[in-house]
Amino acid sequence: MDSLASWSKRFRIQKTDPDRRLVFGTASTSTQAGRVVVDHDQDRIEPEELERAAYAFTSGPRALGEMHDRIGVGVLVESLVTTADKRAALGIPGDDVSWWVGFKVEDDSTWQGVTSGQFGEFSIGGTAKRSPVGRSEEHTSELQSRQYLVCRL
């Protein structure tokens, strides 16, 4: 039976541009080495679902939050889901499907947290419709509303 569950995944901030107050990194990963990633809750996001969720986020809120509480401390400036066809078109090697993002941090205290190392990762969260995968303990997630990306401790 399908269920609606809260979810979150965390990824390290991989690049900053202090002069422009920009932060970049992976927001989520669907596949690595050609295999669907299963997280510690036995959830996985299929590549098509990750791409759909990224498009929904970029055409909707585009807000950066701090610690899943203060939403609106920055705004999305870059987004790319690295599907196989996009990797081929751009000449990017590998077969991982990930969502790369960049944000302009507009809030002074959040930017201070980024530069001090207090906030060192992205965490994407929201709600998802969970569906069992075969007879295993794994679930696939159809991402629902209230998607957001945050810097967190």
Side-chain angles (χ1 to χ4, degrees):
M1 177 176 206
D2 293 349
S3 63
L4 197 61
S6 292
W7 53 270
S8 67
K9 296 179 186 292
R10 294 177 295 219
F11 296 90
R12 303 293 310 161
I13 291 173
Q14 295 165 283
K15 180 183 184 307
T16 61
D17 181 335
D19 294 334
R20 297 186 289 173
R21 290 173 70 152
L22 299 173
V23 293
F24 300 91
T26 301
S28 190
T29 297
S30 176
T31 65
Q32 290 181 325
R35 299 182 66 173
V36 175
V37 174
V38 179
D39 70 14
H40 66 280
D41 291 324
Q42 299 302 305
D43 289 326
R44 63 192 205 173
I45 302 171
E46 296 292 334
E48 299 80 14
E49 183 62 21
L50 179 61
E51 187 174 39
R52 187 196 66 75
Y55 292 159
F57 181 81
T58 59
S59 64
R62 298 183 303 276
L64 180 66
E66 179 185 297
M67 298 300 297
H68 298 267
D69 291 323
R70 292 183 56 222
I71 307 300
V73 299
V75 64
L76 183 75
V77 296
E78 184 170 302
S79 175
L80 172 67
V81 179
T82 59
T83 59
D85 57 330
K86 291 174 194 165
R87 284 183 173 278
L90 295 170
I92 300 172
D95 58 2
D96 295 354
V97 175
S98 296
W99 182 14
W100 174 266
V101 294
F103 284 90
K104 178 172 180 54
V105 179
E106 296 172 332
D107 179 78
D108 292 338
S109 65
T110 302
W111 181 249
Q112 184 177 20
V114 169
T115 58
S116 72
Q118 178 185 6
F119 302 130
E121 56 190 29
F122 289 109
S123 176
I124 179 173
T127 56
K129 185 176 180 182
R130 297 178 81 207
S131 303
V133 176
R135 298 180 190 267
S136 74
E137 295 295 316
E138 295 177 15
H139 295 85
T140 187
S141 294
E142 178 184 332
L143 307 181
Q144 302 290 314
S145 62
R146 297 190 315 231
Q147 300 169 4
Y148 53 85
L149 285 152
V150 300
C151 294
R152 76 180 268 148
L153 292 172

